[in-house]
Amino acid sequence: MLNIELNNKQQEAVFHNIGPMMVLAGPGSGKTTVIIHRIKTLIEKYNVLPKDILVITFTKAAATEMKNRFKEIYNSNSDVTFGTFHSYFFRILRNSFGYSLDNLIKEDEKRKIIKNIIDEKELIIEDEEEYISNAINEISLVKNELTDCEKHKTSNFGKSEFISLFRGYEEIKERNNKIDFDDMVCKCYEKLNLNKNVLERWKSRYKYILIDEFQDVNKAQYECVRLLTDKNSNIFIVGDDDQSIYKFRGSRPEFLLKFPKDFKNVRKIVLDINYRSTTQIINLSNAVIKGNKNRYKKIIKGTQKDGNIPILLRSNDIGSEAAEIAKKIINYKNKLDFDLNRVAVIYRTNIQARAIVDAFMDFNIPYQIKDEVPSIYEHRVSKDIFAYLNLIINPDNDSALERIINKPKRYISKAVLAEAKKINKSSLLKDLFSVKDIKTWQSERLEELIYNLSAAKGKSTYDTFKYIRKFIGYDKYIKEYALFRKVNPKSLFEVLDEIQEAAKGYDKIEDYLTHTENVILEMKEKKKISDITSNGVVLSTMHSAKGLEFDVVFVTSAVEGVIPYEKNKSADEIEEERRLFYVAITRAKKLLFISIVKSRYEQAVEPTRFLKKIIKTGD
């Protein structure tokens, strides 16, 4: 009946008939093949009607791909339902509770609502777009966790500020009879709990339910699944607790771990053969992940594909690391003539892309960025520093002055600035001294700024950065701003450190600013190019690399403070960081390079704890 060869455990999963089953699918173990052939087996061997089968995935693209792959082997259209969690739960809301597409809030509407709340409350915000994005993400997390906004531990706002934002957002939605993307799930859960008749009707709608990537479910999704399936139902879940990496969206491996407790007589199958990677890469990944305690114990095996052992690269700092990776890629390309699309550089955070992009531009290596994020040079903190640099070059640069006039505080009000603009005899900086109501202490601060701009002239770009941050007081401004906003300044200082590191190779400020402009332009051009036409080495965060595979993988800066990330310190957070590292190294099929540096931002760093006792990391 099956037109491909399946291993014993794959066959056991495919031919499972009734009752709940949990399939733990390791990296490269053929989970999609198992799901597709199970559907075919249900229809052809067990005479299940296609209309009685529901297949749930996490993204529309994944649902479409699975549907198309099933069509290829089934050779006809069928009534099997393929969809996402959100599309399925919205269908319940639409068919049973009267919701329609008109009730759905679009992304731009959502942002407008938050913007209106900001304006109404007259909040003082440095970067509105960043603020709105953080608000939307945290509101989403509260809903995914099925919790109360008062119990949410906010990471971007003061507690009372977030509660006010959340309630204001919900009130506006309620008033206009609107729901958002996350409401598709949590509203469904809420309404099914209150209406048992509707619940029973939907529980009997599908006789077989298959769910892919179960390690990515959040609490709202998990509780909806529990509601809509009987304890003895034919639910078939596929996932890997070792690849649960989306805690920031509410996903946790606990839902896979508790599945056998919440469903009776669960059969468990481990797909433990990795068809993707060499034996050496598989052995390293096994050694890494076994350090986690909150997991199903399993050992992934290979298919005896021997290759090179994973290579540890050592560099002095992130600049030399990026250059070393670039040289290695050019060398392998010249020797082996491999496709650059099959090469990936994987890092923990988007901020690390800066050094790689800079190096690839220097070495003329084509690249594509997996994550759609603006260049670090477009960050508001970067723009502040660039404004200072432009003022040092030309103190008569009025737009640059306006941007940093109160960074740090010089107590120059908007009214004073407006009066100076009216004078319009010279540059804005000079005209400020002629404002009628300017105070002596304000003039003194402006004179100090003029002195500082003059004193910075002639320094290297790197030393100028230090001068702006320490002597002019930009670091102090960041600390005061973070204290006022009740947020951790760490991420802002990380941006500062990164763009300062980029300045090391430029004596002249003008050359550095030209470089940053070129990078910004190139990254904007790359965003215009579709995925179909994009070409070159793939640059990706560990999160975005999940589900992908490459012949050659470079994992950058595998050091403490990066992986595990310095913000994450609890036992659960460290385990997720280890899972992220595991995901990164298991993307490699043939060659794996893990890079460590001796220092970051002039601070000595140690190799990641995830490599200790596994490979020799000393000099």
Side-chain angles (χ1 to χ4, degrees):
M1 182 184 68
L2 299 180
N3 53 16
I4 66 163
E5 187 177 336
L6 300 175
N7 66 44
N8 291 338
K9 291 186 177 179
Q10 287 175 328
Q11 287 187 46
E12 192 176 345
V14 165
F15 287 102
H16 173 70
N17 186 6
I18 58 173
M21 171 171 267
M22 176 173 67
V23 179
L24 298 176
S29 61
K31 68 180 181 63
T32 304
T33 297
V34 165
I35 292 172
I36 289 167
H37 283 84
R38 170 164 168 74
I39 301 166
K40 191 172 190 283
T41 302
L42 288 173
I43 296 169
E44 295 184 348
K45 181 176 175 64
Y46 299 120
N47 300 314
V48 177
L49 295 175
K51 71 178 181 63
D52 291 335
I53 301 173
L54 170 66
V55 183
I56 298 177
T57 65
F58 268 81
T59 66
K60 188 176 179 180
T64 301
E65 181 190 356
M66 200 168 287
K67 183 177 182 178
N68 291 338
R69 285 185 63 176
F70 177 67
K71 274 185 183 178
E72 288 176 11
I73 69 159
Y74 194 63
N75 296 321
S76 69
N77 290 322
S78 77
D79 293 326
V80 175
T81 300
F82 293 86
T84 64
F85 275 104
H86 288 86
S87 65
Y88 176 46
F89 295 139
F90 185 61
R91 183 144 54 96
I92 294 174
L93 290 176
R94 192 175 64 233
N95 293 350
S96 297
F97 298 105
Y99 286 87
S100 73
L101 289 172
D102 291 336
N103 296 111
L104 275 179
I105 273 185
K106 296 184 177 69
E107 191 63 28
D108 60 337
E109 290 180 288
K110 190 188 294 187
R111 299 186 80 84
K112 282 179 185 175
I113 291 174
I114 303 294
K115 169 78 166 65
N116 290 338
I117 294 171
I118 292 169
D119 292 342
E120 285 174 14
K121 297 183 181 301
E122 297 181 343
L123 298 175
I124 301 171
I125 294 162
E126 187 69 26
D127 189 320
E128 192 173 87
E129 285 302 307
E130 181 184 42
Y131 186 95
I132 292 172
S133 295
N134 287 337
I136 289 172
N137 291 338
E138 292 212 26
I139 288 169
S140 174
L141 184 58
V142 169
K143 293 182 178 188
N144 291 335
E145 289 283 317
L146 294 178
T147 189
D148 188 278
C149 64
E150 292 189 2
K151 295 177 182 176
H152 174 68
K153 291 182 179 178
T154 176
S155 55
N156 296 292
F157 311 93
K159 187 173 180 65
S160 60
E161 181 182 351
F162 177 72
I163 292 170
S164 178
L165 272 172
F166 185 92
R167 288 179 176 165
Y169 174 71
E170 290 299 299
E171 283 168 11
I172 292 171
K173 285 204 340 295
E174 192 79 25
R175 208 160 50 234
N176 293 283
N177 193 27
K178 295 283 189 179
I179 62 171
D180 63 20
F181 187 71
D182 299 299
D183 290 327
M184 290 181 183
V185 182
C186 61
K187 282 280 186 192
C188 189
Y189 174 74
E190 176 187 309
K191 290 188 175 294
L192 289 175
N193 262 317
L194 296 172
N195 195 317
K196 300 303 177 186
N197 291 331
V198 174
L199 175 59
E200 290 305 315
R201 188 160 71 248
W202 281 94
K203 281 175 83 166
S204 61
R205 171 62 186 86
Y206 294 101
K207 293 183 172 61
Y208 286 82
I209 298 175
L210 297 86
I211 304 176
D212 190 20
E213 302 285 10
F214 201 79
Q215 78 280 346
D216 293 338
V217 299
N218 56 45
K219 186 172 184 180
Q221 291 163 339
Y222 185 77
E223 294 303 330
C224 275
V225 168
R226 286 184 65 195
L227 273 180
L228 289 160
T229 51
D230 291 316
K231 289 186 181 295
N232 295 309
S233 64
N234 301 316
I235 180 170
F236 182 94
I237 67 166
V238 182
D240 184 4
D241 51 313
D242 291 333
Q243 295 187 70
S244 178
I245 59 172
Y246 297 117
K247 188 178 180 183
F248 64 92
R249 294 201 307 234
S251 305
R252 297 193 298 274
E254 283 82 355
F255 301 120
L256 254 178
L257 296 170
K258 68 186 287 201
F259 185 81
K261 299 173 186 175
D262 292 333
F263 293 83
K264 292 181 180 178
N265 304 315
V266 174
R267 285 186 66 193
K268 183 177 83 170
I269 298 289
V270 179
L271 302 184
D272 57 2
I273 298 178
N274 179 331
Y275 292 95
R276 174 189 298 156
S277 306
T278 63
T279 300
Q280 290 82 357
I281 292 170
I282 293 167
N283 289 343
L284 175 63
S285 63
N286 280 331
V288 166
I289 201 62
K290 77 175 184 180
N292 274 4
K293 296 178 181 177
N294 193 29
R295 65 185 290 261
Y296 289 108
K297 289 185 179 179
K298 48 193 172 297
I299 299 294
I300 304 300
K301 302 185 286 282
T303 55
Q304 306 305 311
K305 283 192 294 189
D306 271 338
N308 295 320
I309 62 169
I311 298 169
L312 191 68
L313 302 178
R314 293 182 174 87
S315 302
N316 287 327
D317 55 30
I318 57 180
S320 56
E321 174 186 56
E324 177 67 18
I325 290 171
K327 289 173 187 174
K328 278 273 188 292
I329 290 172
I330 290 172
N331 184 42
Y332 275 98
K333 178 78 172 72
N334 292 338
K335 281 169 58 177
L336 305 177
D337 194 32
F338 56 66
D339 186 353
L340 288 180
N341 291 330
R342 303 304 308 151
V343 181
V345 179
I346 301 176
Y347 33 79
R348 174 62 181 85
T349 64
N350 273 311
I351 205 168
Q352 292 171 260
R354 191 280 309 164
I356 303 298
V357 169
D358 284 1
F360 279 22
M361 286 181 68
D362 288 342
F363 285 88
N364 200 27
I365 298 174
Y367 66 91
Q368 49 186 309
I369 298 183
K370 186 82 174 81
D371 304 81
E372 289 187 12
V373 292
S375 165
I376 189 176
Y377 297 130
E378 293 186 277
H379 193 283
R380 61 184 174 83
V381 166
S382 302
K383 290 178 180 178
D384 288 346
I385 297 296
F386 298 164
Y388 267 113
L389 294 176
N390 277 301
L391 269 178
I392 290 166
I393 295 169
N394 175 21
D396 294 338
N397 188 321
D398 292 351
S399 61
L401 178 70
E402 271 198 86
R403 183 171 186 94
I404 56 83
I405 190 68
N406 287 308
K407 300 173 183 179
K409 286 180 182 176
R410 296 183 180 93
Y411 303 96
I412 307 299
S413 67
K414 289 181 180 178
V416 170
L417 278 171
E419 284 300 315
K421 286 179 182 178
K422 287 178 186 177
I423 295 170
N424 198 27
K425 286 182 179 178
S426 183
S427 68
L428 182 60
L429 183 53
K430 292 171 184 172
D431 286 342
L432 278 167
F433 290 96
S434 301
V435 172
K436 184 180 177 182
D437 296 325
I438 193 115
K439 303 291 188 288
T440 302
W441 48 269
Q442 289 173 311
S443 295
E444 288 172 353
R445 282 170 171 77
L446 290 173
E447 285 167 358
E448 183 182 16
L449 173 61
I450 291 170
Y451 169 79
N452 285 331
L453 295 176
S454 176
K457 272 189 179 293
K459 295 180 184 293
S460 71
T461 310
Y462 188 75
D463 287 340
T464 303
F465 260 87
K466 289 182 177 179
Y467 191 83
I468 293 167
R469 293 180 63 178
K470 305 301 179 188
F471 289 94
I472 294 181
Y474 189 80
D475 278 8
K476 180 184 177 185
Y477 154 73
I478 289 294
K479 289 175 184 175
E480 289 175 348
Y481 171 79
L483 186 63
F484 171 72
R485 294 281 310 115
K486 296 177 181 166
V487 295
N488 192 327
K490 198 76 181 175
S491 60
L492 298 177
F493 281 121
E494 192 173 10
V495 173
L496 279 168
D497 289 338
E498 191 67 36
I499 61 172
Q500 179 174 311
E501 190 75 14
K504 276 185 175 178
Y506 298 91
D507 284 333
K508 292 183 178 179
I509 292 173
E510 292 89 342
D511 292 341
Y512 173 72
L513 291 174
T514 299
H515 164 75
T516 64
E517 289 166 6
N518 289 339
V519 173
I520 291 169
L521 284 173
E522 176 161 323
M523 291 185 73
K524 283 181 178 176
E525 282 300 312
K526 286 187 177 295
K527 284 182 185 177
K528 294 177 185 177
I529 301 173
S530 68
D531 290 337
I532 298 172
T533 59
S534 58
N535 185 49
V537 178
V538 175
L539 310 186
S540 174
T541 61
M542 293 177 178
H543 284 103
S544 294
K546 183 173 169 289
L548 304 178
E549 58 181 40
F550 303 92
D551 290 339
V552 184
V553 167
F554 292 84
V555 180
T556 70
S557 292
V559 295
E560 290 291 306
V562 177
I563 183 75
Y565 195 46
E566 58 190 342
K567 288 182 180 178
N568 298 328
K569 301 186 185 299
S570 70
D572 284 347
E573 288 169 338
I574 295 299
E575 292 220 340
E576 173 141 330
E577 292 289 315
R578 186 180 276 108
R579 292 194 294 271
L580 269 169
F581 189 58
Y582 176 76
V583 165
I585 62 179
T586 55
R587 300 309 94 198
K589 294 171 69 175
K590 298 176 181 178
L591 285 172
L592 172 63
F593 296 88
I594 299 175
S595 177
I596 59 175
V597 292
K598 291 182 179 178
S599 69
R600 294 184 82 242
Y601 315 136
E602 299 187 337
Q603 298 293 319
V605 288
E606 293 291 322
T608 175
R609 69 192 74 178
F610 303 149
L611 292 175
K612 285 185 178 177
K613 301 179 182 178
I614 299 174
I615 57 178
K616 187 178 179 182
T617 57
D619 289 326

